[in-house]
Amino acid sequence: MYQVVPGGAGGTITDATPIKKISKDTRPVVAAGVLGVVLVIAAVTAWCYYIASLPKPDLLRTEMLELNKDGFIIRNQAGATVFKMAFRSGTLDLDSCYKDGPILRCGRSSDGKLNFFIQTVFVKTVSCYRLRWEELESDRPVEHAMSYNGSHWYGGAESAIQHWPITISGQQKPKPFVTSDVYSNRNEFGSILERYWLSSTATAIKINDSVPFHLGWNDTEKTLYFQARYQDSPYRPHLGEPPYAELSYRVCVGIDVGSIHKYMVRRYFNKPYKVPSKVMFRHPIWSTWALHKTEINQNKLLEYAANIRKYGFNCSHLELDDRYTRRYGDFDFDPEKFPNASGMFQQLKEDGFLVSLWTHPFVNYDSENFGSVVEKGFLVMEPTGNLPALVRWWNGIGGILDFTNPEARNWYSSHLRSLRLKYGITSFKLDAGETSYLPWQFRTRAYLQDPSTFTRRYTEMAILYNERAELRSGYQSQNISCFFRIIDRDSVWGYELGLKSIIPAVLTISILGYQFILPDMIGGNAYPNRTHGGLVLPDRELYIRWLELSAFMPAMQFSIPPWVYDDEVVQIAQRFTKLHETLVAPRVLELASEVLATGDPIIRPLWWIATTDETAYKIDSQFLIGDDLMVAPVLEPGKQERDIYLPPGHWISYKGERFDIKEPLHLTDYPVDLDEIAYFEWIAKA
């Protein structure tokens, strides 16, 4: 046994393993081993060079997604391309890209450093792709272009000219995707919007909340432009962070359009936590607005209520609209118009009427409250924070209450509470709330990155009154759990805020997760110069057809009363309010209770039960209530017939006709009299 004496400070080590010399016989074996190691290293090196030499697109794949420097495509399980996105603000440097498990990552674009990734997630029959393009060195915008050619898309927002599916025309540079009053600004996005779109190819896209999101389009290229930017924009970056844009979103693909929508709603949408008052679904709301506008007074309100009873109609509640106060921003009744408000409300109560009041977020400069709210800092401010931001709205000029300020919220709530206690008011119609009424640049108590968050904060004021409250604006507001009204309608037939726009608008906000829907007042608002035929009242035929459609909506709302026409119109109205109460409301209430868990639409498009039929994706004049009641109103002047699409199934018409069909059936020129609406009930096969 050898002793080894190292030269270090460790001293002598004993009992070491002896080292033997290599014999001549074993030297060939050692040489062979060394040669093997060299060959392995050479093979690995060659493989690495081979991998590096492969075209990058062959590497940048994950399941059904293919990424290249200019964009990406997604295929479905059958191999068909269902989604295509192009990068417009730069191209990826593919040499900086690599796969990290289910994630594709890239570190550079043609313009500099970035954080880019696409992560793939599978959940049963759904595949989702989470994408982020985040600039790290520049404040330049990030823009992607989604091709919609060959598919039908739904969702996004209300619009002044509403179509189903979405129809776009012309070219529009990306503009802020924020809530707007499309009655006053008809080229903007609507009062209710969400960053969500759904395609007939069973594909859905959801833009992340953190994105300073702008939307544009080009009908020649058949593309929608998704852009993130902070320049020339009301969006703001995180406090203390540079204005580097981030565009991030999720694209999910399913087996059919219904299943992918259900997945997205359950995963990404707020849902209501309660159903509003059942009587709102059963009996009409009666508003003073379209009939009396701002000329409402005590006598007119009492007369209106008396006529509701005289003509035998039920009433969920009376809605006392603009203008019962002396000035906008006051919270008590104008003593000249309402000399005995307390006595009036007592009489209405004795007659069995509940009353809601119109309210809004504005305090006009001539209001008795203006000086107080300025002094207390309750208004939205101009950017320096030194002065209140004065805004123009449809009733003048004033400030807008800052609903991100808890003290301002309490001030507003205290006035609503006082009205309720003093007069027995049952609820409120909260009008406006859109971002378009804020200045382009502003300051609020809470820092807002996304200006539409202001809409959300305003809608929260309805929570205490959501049994019978009414809102017209919404952003991430589905869980406010009250009725949402589509924007004011003109008394016209067409798609621009007319009768034909109602079904597309209701279907659109249903897809966005808002299920308790008011379709606005029967016959429209009868605004001067925006009424068919230039009449003072809505056209009689238009009014009847509007009434029939409203009877199959979740709730009915009158203002122009049927008795201003003739006895026949009164009788038609009595019959359809009864039909709504007995046929429609029970179905809607059953579906409303399911909404709390599922978020599924109450009012549904025909493709909900006919996902494989291309025709069903284009029908905008029929709809379903649940899966078993199909409605086909007449929406054209002078018509007493219409073409009807009947999905496969076992159907019985309102006339008693039975249809047992395995393929879609087209009923051409199906007769529908003026006092009728075509509807079909699905029945179990005998």
Side-chain angles (χ1 to χ4, degrees):
M1 184 174 291
Y2 298 103
Q3 286 186 332
V4 179
V5 183
T12 302
I13 298 177
T14 58
D15 299 324
T17 302
I19 299 175
K20 299 181 180 179
K21 294 182 178 180
I22 300 175
S23 67
K24 292 181 179 180
D25 294 335
T26 59
R27 287 176 182 173
V29 176
V30 173
V34 171
L35 180 60
V37 171
V38 171
L39 290 174
V40 169
I41 293 172
V44 170
T45 302
W47 175 254
C48 292
Y49 276 109
Y50 169 72
I51 291 297
S53 68
L54 287 175
K56 283 291 181 181
D58 291 341
L59 287 178
L60 302 181
R61 292 179 179 173
T62 176
E63 300 301 331
M64 292 171 281
L65 181 142
E66 297 178 8
L67 174 70
N68 61 53
K69 65 182 180 64
D70 299 311
F72 65 93
I73 63 170
I74 299 174
R75 304 183 189 276
N76 62 16
Q77 294 179 353
T81 299
V82 294
F83 188 83
K84 185 177 181 180
M85 187 75 87
F87 304 146
R88 286 174 54 90
S89 52
T91 59
L92 290 175
D93 179 356
L94 295 184
D95 288 331
S96 72
C97 301
Y98 60 96
K99 288 185 69 174
D100 180 9
I103 304 176
L104 295 176
R105 297 185 182 275
C106 301
R108 293 190 63 85
S109 72
S110 55
D111 296 315
K113 290 183 179 179
L114 80 162
N115 174 24
F116 175 92
F117 69 79
I118 299 179
Q119 181 180 13
T120 304
V121 178
F122 290 98
V123 181
K124 296 182 179 178
T125 59
V126 174
S127 57
C128 287
Y129 304 90
R130 176 172 164 248
L131 182 142
R132 177 192 293 261
W133 181 305
E134 181 182 10
E135 292 289 340
L136 299 179
E137 295 181 332
S138 171
D139 62 357
R140 58 180 168 265
V142 179
E143 185 174 314
H144 295 176
M146 184 189 79
S147 171
Y148 63 85
N149 195 22
S151 59
H152 306 294
W153 285 86
Y154 314 91
E158 275 190 284
S159 61
I161 301 175
Q162 197 87 52
H163 290 286
W164 179 271
I166 295 169
T167 300
I168 62 174
S169 60
Q171 290 79 42
Q172 171 64 53
K173 293 181 179 179
K175 59 184 179 180
F177 191 70
V178 295
T179 56
S180 300
D181 176 357
V182 292
Y183 194 87
S184 300
N185 305 288
R186 300 206 172 190
N187 293 321
E188 300 302 319
F189 305 112
S191 301
I192 297 174
L193 57 73
E194 301 292 334
R195 301 171 169 201
Y196 171 73
W197 288 266
L198 177 70
S199 165
S200 58
T201 60
T203 306
I205 181 167
K206 176 74 167 62
I207 309 297
N208 287 359
D209 296 344
S210 59
V211 175
F213 182 52
H214 299 68
L215 180 67
W217 56 83
N218 186 316
D219 68 345
T220 303
E221 298 176 356
K222 306 298 182 186
T223 54
L224 293 177
Y225 301 143
F226 298 153
Q227 187 189 77
R229 76 167 192 264
Y230 290 110
Q231 310 97 317
D232 188 29
S233 171
Y235 293 99
R236 294 185 289 181
H238 286 286
L239 278 171
E241 294 188 3
Y244 295 167
E246 165 219 329
L247 181 59
S248 56
Y249 49 86
R250 290 168 172 82
V251 180
C252 294
V253 180
I255 55 175
D256 62 63
V257 63
S259 64
I260 192 61
H261 177 65
K262 290 181 179 182
Y263 172 84
M264 299 296 286
V265 167
R266 285 156 175 73
R267 190 167 182 86
Y268 299 117
F269 281 20
N270 292 324
K271 284 179 277 296
Y273 67 91
K274 63 180 287 189
V275 176
S277 172
K278 292 181 179 179
V279 73
M280 285 190 70
F281 294 91
R282 295 187 178 119
H283 298 158
I285 300 163
W286 296 80
S287 168
T288 63
W289 173 246
L291 180 63
H292 292 299
K293 304 295 193 297
T294 60
E295 300 303 315
I296 188 64
N297 59 35
Q298 182 170 319
N299 290 335
K300 289 178 179 178
L301 180 61
L302 291 173
E303 181 185 14
Y304 192 49
N307 280 328
I308 293 170
R309 292 289 183 249
K310 175 183 175 181
Y311 289 98
F313 289 97
N314 288 318
C315 176
S316 163
H317 59 267
L318 279 172
E319 197 169 73
L320 177 52
D321 213 294
D322 183 7
R323 158 182 192 182
Y324 56 88
T325 61
R326 181 172 289 176
R327 298 178 181 87
Y328 297 103
D330 296 351
F331 284 91
D332 210 347
F333 285 81
D334 182 342
E336 294 183 5
K337 299 176 74 174
F338 297 87
N340 185 10
S342 296
M344 178 188 72
F345 283 111
Q346 182 60 35
Q347 181 178 338
L348 289 169
K349 181 179 179 181
E350 291 173 359
D351 292 341
F353 288 97
L354 299 175
V355 182
S356 68
L357 290 180
W358 175 78
T359 186
H360 54 84
F362 306 101
V363 182
N364 278 13
Y365 68 88
D366 60 350
S367 165
E368 63 182 23
N369 288 317
F370 185 75
S372 174
V373 294
V374 169
E375 182 179 349
K376 294 176 180 178
F378 289 172
L379 298 178
V380 173
M381 307 296 282
E382 47 82 40
T384 66
N386 295 323
L387 295 172
L390 294 183
V391 299
R392 182 180 295 277
W393 63 297
W394 67 90
N395 278 326
I397 297 174
I400 184 167
L401 288 167
D402 180 1
F403 291 99
T404 75
N405 181 343
E407 295 174 345
R409 292 163 68 95
N410 289 339
W411 181 86
Y412 183 75
S413 290
S414 69
H415 282 288
L416 300 189
R417 196 161 51 245
S418 294
L419 287 167
R420 194 174 199 180
L421 292 172
K422 186 175 182 179
Y423 299 111
I425 301 301
T426 189
S427 192
F428 297 91
K429 169 187 175 179
L430 286 83
D431 214 350
E434 296 90 352
T435 300
S436 58
Y437 287 109
L438 295 171
W440 183 251
Q441 297 294 331
F442 60 90
R443 177 177 289 189
T444 50
R445 174 68 64 87
Y447 183 79
L448 296 183
Q449 292 179 256
D450 180 353
S452 289
T453 304
F454 184 87
T455 297
R456 164 69 196 191
R457 295 292 170 262
Y458 177 61
T459 62
E460 290 168 355
M461 304 309 297
I463 291 175
L464 291 176
Y465 309 99
N466 59 13
E467 278 284 301
R468 295 173 187 264
E470 174 187 325
L471 289 164
R472 84 169 193 194
S473 57
Y475 176 66
Q476 301 177 356
S477 304
Q478 299 91 338
N479 59 350
I480 301 301
S481 306
C482 70
F483 270 89
F484 286 81
R485 174 178 61 87
I486 62 176
I487 197 70
D488 299 28
R489 256 51 196 173
D490 290 329
S491 300
V492 297
W493 289 90
Y495 284 104
E496 184 172 347
L497 298 178
L499 178 61
K500 285 185 180 180
S501 72
I502 292 177
I503 295 174
V506 170
L507 289 173
T508 295
I509 65 174
S510 292
I511 286 297
L512 299 180
Y514 297 85
Q515 309 308 340
F516 309 138
I517 301 170
L518 279 173
D520 200 35
M521 289 167 258
I522 291 167
N525 286 265
Y527 291 129
N529 303 318
R530 290 180 174 174
T531 299
H532 178 73
L535 305 173
V536 175
L537 292 175
D539 173 75
R540 182 179 184 273
E541 180 189 10
L542 173 68
Y543 184 87
I544 292 171
R545 292 305 192 191
W546 207 305
L547 164 65
E548 293 163 353
L549 171 58
S550 293
F552 285 82
M553 290 289 157
M556 300 181 71
Q557 189 175 35
F558 283 100
S559 185
I560 303 293
W563 55 82
V564 301
Y565 292 96
D566 51 52
D567 289 344
E568 183 185 13
V569 175
V570 171
Q571 292 168 7
I572 293 171
Q574 290 169 338
R575 183 156 53 85
F576 275 95
T577 54
K578 187 65 175 178
L579 184 66
H580 176 84
E581 181 180 356
T582 57
L583 175 67
V584 177
R587 276 178 164 84
V588 169
L589 281 167
E590 182 180 353
L591 293 164
S593 63
E594 296 174 5
V595 166
L596 307 186
T598 66
D600 289 348
I602 293 173
I603 304 299
R604 300 173 181 176
L606 263 62
W607 51 250
W608 195 266
I609 60 171
T611 58
T612 60
D613 189 354
E614 172 70 13
T615 301
Y617 287 101
K618 296 180 285 186
I619 293 176
D620 67 353
S621 62
Q622 297 177 224
F623 60 93
L624 296 162
I625 302 175
D627 290 343
D628 60 1
L629 180 58
M630 194 275 289
V631 187
V634 173
L635 305 175
E636 298 278 355
K639 296 287 187 180
Q640 295 197 28
E641 68 282 324
R642 65 155 293 162
D643 295 343
I644 294 175
Y645 169 91
L646 205 57
H650 309 286
W651 301 93
I652 187 166
S653 78
Y654 70 106
K655 299 177 181 180
E657 306 153 307
R658 181 161 182 152
F659 300 89
D660 297 302
I661 51 177
K662 296 181 179 179
E663 299 292 334
L665 179 65
H666 296 267
L667 304 175
T668 304
D669 292 332
Y670 186 83
V672 187
D673 290 343
L674 180 59
D675 63 345
E676 296 179 331
I677 185 173
Y679 64 91
F680 300 76
E681 296 180 78
W682 190 91
I683 55 174
K685 188 176 181 181

